[in-house]
């Protein structure tokens, strides 16, 4: 398969006389795509037939599969050898015309900008081009966290598995490459999301049909072409159109719950799929338990799903299980035996009581774990299991009734020993004191402290974490003042994003010179009593964004560039967004120097 993909990538770089190549391209493309689809179908059939086979039967299927792929590879090579070697690229010319018609460039830099966009897009390796297309396949307002896109790319079969490596790591690497190339842009530290930038978004949409993508703002009259391999249906009504059974990826965003007929249609489409990502925002259909090749099951915000049936244990290829329901603590219960799913790398929203906590320790390849409704009866067992998960990178612990300070204390947290490679940690619930082990987490880059209600300064232990880049403190500290000891010289050396939410905070009095040397974004939310920011904020020259959401109106008045007496504290910040507790709102932009 990798050989075929490389040859297809080479095909896209063909150059020569425009009309000659245009005619040749149509023939070559048809032949190559037919053969690529044949190869995909052989893979599908091979996985289905070889599943459960052993011994001589399995060897025969493997030999037949290898022979079919070799035959297709030879046919591709024969087509490539017939390709004329010519000189000018029609693809370049067409993309240049497209860019000129859709976007305006500065006249002085037009040729440079056009050339840069064209070369970046055309020179993308084939797997990166498809990765970019998948990033464009969702509705414009659909939140696209990196982690979710990683699951999509793996489920769509775009990532080649290598011995000793994880497909998820390669998918993450593809996303980071697209960011480095300026085709994707990160936004929202909390969600770690990306969006596709123009002109690459428009370019990608323009070539989707050629790559067998189909996007529809769906209704029951939508007609999906039989050749479509990747389908994205936006804002679907309660019915969805019929689709062929050879789809390799499907995204359905439904306005309401889908009809029984639509669920049956999905079952037919998905049953033989090799890799599929399924994301239902309504009820969980029974057909899910039959999808033995399913890799990602995302039932976040599914209505009425409080417990998974034993059918989930049939999903032997499952790698990512994401769960959440919007009632009470959001936990979802899973059946005993969940540790039999040996490929699991992500488990989110799970309730760990009833013996599940002990089972989690046996899923040693877990890299992301989010536990909800943690309580005394299974806390020790869970902590012991998590300590054994040496591959774990992301951990979230949510205490039962975590939003109620008097009844949400973390049980026995001082006895917990976090895995050494942990990068992201979220603790939701009351802390009697800051755990000492937090200060030794050298690999930690993101920390969320929510509803901790600490009386002591929470930053004393955190200030010298060497790699911490993101810190969110939501009702983490119940004091009224943040004083100079909160941010000492040299403290938080790599912190780029700081978010504080507090119903008690009235003033932030001082910052020691040399603190927060890397801070880019500072956010206050629901700090309705906050009236004072420190003088030294004017010396935090790295700040790019200050967000004041639901703060005291008097603070906004004094910081205003329109005569506010304390505007000097923030006038160096390029963008200030504000929303007062009495509903004043707006933004201030720093004027560029003349």
């Amino acid at each position: 398969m990798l050989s075929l993909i490389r040859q297809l990538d080479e095909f896209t770089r063909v150059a020569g006389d425009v009309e000659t190549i245009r005619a040749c391209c149509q023939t070559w493309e048809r032949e190559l795509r037919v053969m690529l689809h044949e190869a995909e179908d052989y893979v599908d059939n091979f996985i289905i037939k070889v599943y459960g086979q052993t011994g001589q039967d399995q060897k025969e299927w493997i030999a037949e599969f290898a022979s079919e792929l070799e035959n297709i590879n030879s046919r591709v090579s024969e087509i490539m050898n017939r390709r004329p070697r010519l000189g000018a690229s029609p693809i370049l010319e067409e993309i240049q015309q497209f860019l000129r018609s859709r976007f305006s460039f500065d006249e002085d830099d037009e040729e440079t900008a056009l050339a840069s966009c064209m070369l970046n897009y055309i020179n993308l390796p084939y797997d990166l081009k498809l990765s970019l297309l998948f990033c464009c396949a969702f509705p414009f307002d659909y939140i696209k966290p990196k982690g979710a896109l990683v699951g999509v790319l793996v489920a769509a079969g775009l990532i080649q598995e290598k011995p000793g490596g994880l497909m998820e790591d390669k998918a993450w690497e593809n996303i980071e490459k697209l960011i480095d190339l300026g085709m994707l842009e990160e936004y929202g530290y909390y969600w770690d999301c990306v969006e596709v930038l123009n002109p690459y978004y428009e370019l990608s949409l323009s070539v989707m049909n050629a790559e067998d993508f189909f996007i529809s703002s769906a209704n029951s009259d939508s007609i999906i072409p039989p050749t479509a391999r990747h389908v994205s249906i936006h804002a679907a009504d309660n019915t969805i159109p019929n689709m062929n059974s050879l789809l390799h990826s499907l995204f359905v965003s439904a306005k309401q719950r889908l009809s029984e007929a639509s669920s049956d249609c999905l079952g037919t489409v998905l049953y033989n799929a090799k890799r599929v990502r399924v994301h239902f925002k309504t009820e969980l259909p029974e057909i899910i338990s039959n999808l033995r090749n399913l890799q990602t099951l995302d039932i976040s915000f599914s209505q009425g799903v409080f417990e998974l049936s034993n059918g989930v244990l049939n999903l032997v290829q499952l790698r990512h299980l994401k769960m959440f329901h919007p009632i009470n603590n959001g936990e979802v219960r899973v059946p005993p035996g969940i540790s039999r799913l040996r490929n699991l790398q992500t488990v989110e929203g799970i309730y760990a009581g009833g013996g599940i906590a002990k089972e989690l320790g046996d899923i040693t390849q877990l890299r992301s774990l989010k536990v909800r409704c943690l309580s005394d009866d299974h806390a020790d067992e869970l902590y012991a299991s998590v300590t054994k998960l040496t591959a774990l990178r992301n951990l979230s612990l949510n205490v039962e009734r975590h939003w109620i300070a008097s009844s949400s204390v973390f049980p026995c947290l001082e006895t917990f020993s976090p895995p050494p490679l942990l990068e992201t940690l979220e603790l939701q619930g009351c802390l009697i004191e800051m755990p000492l082990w937090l200060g030794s987490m050298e690999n930690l880059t993101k920390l969320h402290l929510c509803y901790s209600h600490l009386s002591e300064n929470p930053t004393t232990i955190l200030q010298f974490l060497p790699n911490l880049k993101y810190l969110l403190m939501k009702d983490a500290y119940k004091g009224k003042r943040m004083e100079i000891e909160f941010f000492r010289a040299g403290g938080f050396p790599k912190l780029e994003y700081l978010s504080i939410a507090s119903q008690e905070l009235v003033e932030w009095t001082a910052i020691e010179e040399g603190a927060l040397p890397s801070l880019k974004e500072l956010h206050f939310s629901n700090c309705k009593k906050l009236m004072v920011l420190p003088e030294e904020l004017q010396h935090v020259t790295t700040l790019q964004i200050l967000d004041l959401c639901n703060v005291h109106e008097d603070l906004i008045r004094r910081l205003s560039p329109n005569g506010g007496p304390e505007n000097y504290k923030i006038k160096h910040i390029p963008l200030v967004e504000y929303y007062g507790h009495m509903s004043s709102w707006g933004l201030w932009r720093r004027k560029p120097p003349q």
Side-chain angles (χ1 to χ4, degrees), residues 90-106:
I91 301 173
L92 279 171
E93 181 178 298
E94 289 187 358
I95 290 181
Q96 187 177 54
Q97 291 174 356
F98 175 87
L99 291 174
R100 288 184 189 278
S101 67
R102 294 292 186 93
F103 303 100
S104 58
F105 296 94
D106 187 303

Side-chain angles (χ1 to χ4, degrees), residues 18 29 46 48 104 106 154 160 183 268 276 322 361 411 506 519:
V18 172
E29 185 176 16
F46 170 71
I48 293 166
S104 58
D106 187 303
V154 171
Q160 299 296 313
M183 298 179 180
T268 302
V276 182
K322 301 182 179 185
V506 176
L519 192 65

Side-chain angles (χ1 to χ4, degrees), residues 126-137:
Y126 189 65
D127 63 328
L128 283 185
K129 285 178 184 173
L130 286 182
S131 296
L132 186 63
L133 291 185
F134 270 90
C135 293
C136 297

Side-chain angles (χ1 to χ4, degrees), residues 73 125 131 222 313 367 380 409 504 556:
N73 203 24
S131 296
S222 297
L313 303 180
R367 292 164 68 89
D380 286 338
V409 177
E504 305 297 330
I556 292 173

